[in-house]
Amino acid sequence: MAKKSTNTVAAPSTDLIIKIIQEVKDRSRKKIKTWRDAMQAAEDRDDPRWYLLQDLFSDLLSDGHLGAVMELRSAATLNHPFYVTDLKGEKLEEQTNLLQKKWFYDYIDNCLDAIFFKYTVMQFGRDGDNII
């Protein structure tokens, strides 16, 4: 009787394949058709696919001018004082103090990024009296 070979090649793990896919970025020159196809895929009512457009956005961030414009917009908004007033226009100190925390400025920064990237993911919680 012939002896069966016990030498087998293990299939690559799914985690490794996902990691390789995530690390590969297409830095080639893009064409208008690529952008239009990405927009159509994202705007599809039945099956929106945002990853093509997100890849283009990610690639665009390497442009120094675009990055500077985005930072300028963000800085102009985040450097503006935020406060809460009542109907008479009087400043409400307790509510205003709640907005003068890091969590609020992080929230506003994420909202500004969502305008460009079309989405954001945030999670709010409490650590005692502090919002995190």
Side-chain angles (χ1 to χ4, degrees), residues 27 54-68 70 113 116-117:
R27 300 283 185 210
Q54 296 302 324
D55 285 346
L56 286 174
F57 290 161
S58 173
D59 202 28
L60 285 172
L61 287 177
S62 65
D63 177 57
H65 178 70
L66 177 64
M70 288 176 64
D113 285 345
F116 182 71
F117 291 106

Side-chain angles (χ1 to χ4, degrees), residues 5-62:
S5 172
T6 58
N7 293 339
T8 59
V9 177
S13 92
T14 306
D15 293 336
L16 178 62
I17 293 171
I18 291 172
K19 184 177 179 183
I20 291 170
I21 290 170
Q22 288 174 344
E23 290 181 4
V24 175
K25 295 279 187 190
D26 179 16
R27 300 283 185 210
S28 65
R29 188 178 179 126
K30 305 297 188 275
K31 298 178 182 171
I32 297 294
K33 182 178 180 344
T34 305
W35 173 73
R36 286 186 179 153
D37 290 345
M39 287 294 291
Q40 282 183 330
E43 294 171 348
D44 187 333
R45 290 181 188 214
D46 298 325
D47 184 24
R49 293 168 310 221
W50 283 91
Y51 67 93
L52 297 170
L53 198 55
Q54 296 302 324
D55 285 346
L56 286 174
F57 290 161
S58 173
D59 202 28
L60 285 172
L61 287 177
S62 65

Side-chain angles (χ1 to χ4, degrees), residues 84-101:
V84 180
T85 62
D86 60 12
L87 294 175
K88 297 176 185 174
E90 299 292 325
K91 187 175 177 181
L92 301 174
E93 290 298 327
E94 185 177 345
Q95 290 83 353
T96 298
N97 288 339
L98 184 64
L99 300 183
Q100 302 302 318
K101 309 278 186 200

Side-chain angles (χ1 to χ4, degrees), residues 85-129:
T85 62
D86 60 12
L87 294 175
K88 297 176 185 174
E90 299 292 325
K91 187 175 177 181
L92 301 174
E93 290 298 327
E94 185 177 345
Q95 290 83 353
T96 298
N97 288 339
L98 184 64
L99 300 183
Q100 302 302 318
K101 309 278 186 200
K102 182 180 181 319
W103 74 267
F104 182 72
Y105 287 92
D106 289 343
Y107 167 75
I108 296 296
D109 194 33
N110 281 317
C111 289
L112 291 170
D113 285 345
I115 294 169
F116 182 71
F117 291 106
K118 305 298 183 199
Y119 76 97
T120 191
V121 177
M122 293 182 270
Q123 180 176 346
F124 293 95
R126 285 193 171 271
D127 181 19
D129 290 337

